[in-house]
Amino acid sequence: MSFYRKYGKRIFDLCLTIPAFVVLSPVMGVTAVLVAVKLGRPVLFTQKRPGYQEKIFRMYKFRSMTDERDENGELLPDEVRLTKFGQWLRNTSLDELPEAFNILNGTMSVIGPRPQLVRDMVFMTEEQRMRHTAKPGLSGLAQVNGRNAISWEDKIEWDLKYIEKVSFKE
């Protein structure tokens, strides 16, 4: 494992995230208030995701859906619970800002494969599970090269390319 991958990446993450956290604190504060007013509490949505070496961690995001339920107490489908405000949060990626906490606590990195849902691990091939040999990231090559406009296979290919070449310059 290279020096950068072992130590430099974490230093880079902290040097980028701490100032960004300070600068973006007012945006996070306003967003938190808007989420509380428009969607209610809790303001943060947490979800278990597989991380480095498939260790499960809690990923933080701003909530973008209501918790509306049917007469049996079951949550309504996502498309019903996602509000216009929630869709705007997602489109602007403001819902991702709390992931800075994950970067600060070391469960995520600024750049790396986006963490998938735990339930998706069951369907992953050994090659696809290789994405867990790097820390998950706030952004990655798959996001830069198409985000939601590319196929799952293309995302995996970009993630694996990143993992093979993890360095400061690539």
Side-chain angles (χ1 to χ4, degrees):
M1 186 180 288
S2 71
F3 177 82
Y4 174 75
R5 191 168 186 178
K6 194 168 184 179
Y7 303 107
K9 192 164 173 30
R10 179 71 177 141
I11 293 167
F12 176 76
D13 286 344
L14 292 173
C15 288
L16 206 60
T17 305
I18 292 169
F21 194 81
V22 171
V23 169
L24 292 173
S25 288
V27 175
M28 290 177 75
V30 168
T31 304
V33 169
L34 288 172
V35 169
V37 169
K38 293 184 175 285
L39 298 172
R41 294 179 193 261
V43 170
L44 293 181
F45 168 76
T46 62
Q47 190 172 48
K48 291 181 179 179
R49 300 286 180 109
Y52 180 64
Q53 302 296 353
E54 297 188 346
K55 182 178 178 193
I56 306 301
F57 71 99
R58 288 197 179 275
M59 188 171 81
Y60 303 103
K61 289 182 154 195
F62 279 121
R63 186 172 153 185
S64 60
M65 290 193 264
T66 67
D67 59 357
E68 293 177 87
R69 298 175 183 272
D70 65 16
E71 60 279 349
N72 298 322
E74 300 292 324
L75 285 172
L76 293 175
D78 290 357
E79 55 274 2
V80 174
R81 296 183 303 124
L82 182 63
T83 65
K84 286 185 180 186
F85 173 71
Q87 187 63 50
W88 177 80
L89 278 178
R90 289 181 179 187
N91 289 342
T92 59
S93 295
L94 288 172
D95 65 321
E96 309 276 351
L97 288 176
E99 288 175 40
F101 292 113
N102 291 111
I103 297 168
L104 292 174
N105 74 22
T107 55
M108 286 181 65
S109 185
V110 173
I111 304 297
R114 285 295 292 160
Q116 296 298 309
L117 298 172
V118 172
R119 70 173 183 233
D120 293 342
M121 291 174 63
V122 176
F123 306 106
M124 289 182 175
T125 65
E126 284 303 312
E127 181 184 43
Q128 292 169 342
R129 290 180 95 131
M130 290 294 297
R131 59 198 321 277
H132 299 125
T133 62
K135 247 185 221 182
L138 178 65
S139 188
L141 289 180
Q143 286 66 45
V144 173
N145 289 289
R147 197 175 181 183
N148 294 330
I150 62 175
S151 69
W152 165 251
E153 291 77 19
D154 288 340
K155 288 178 184 180
I156 292 292
E157 189 175 321
W158 283 114
D159 288 344
L160 295 177
K161 282 181 186 178
Y162 172 77
I163 291 165
E164 288 172 22
K165 304 270 187 184
V166 176
S167 74
F168 183 70
K169 62 183 174 180
E170 294 184 39

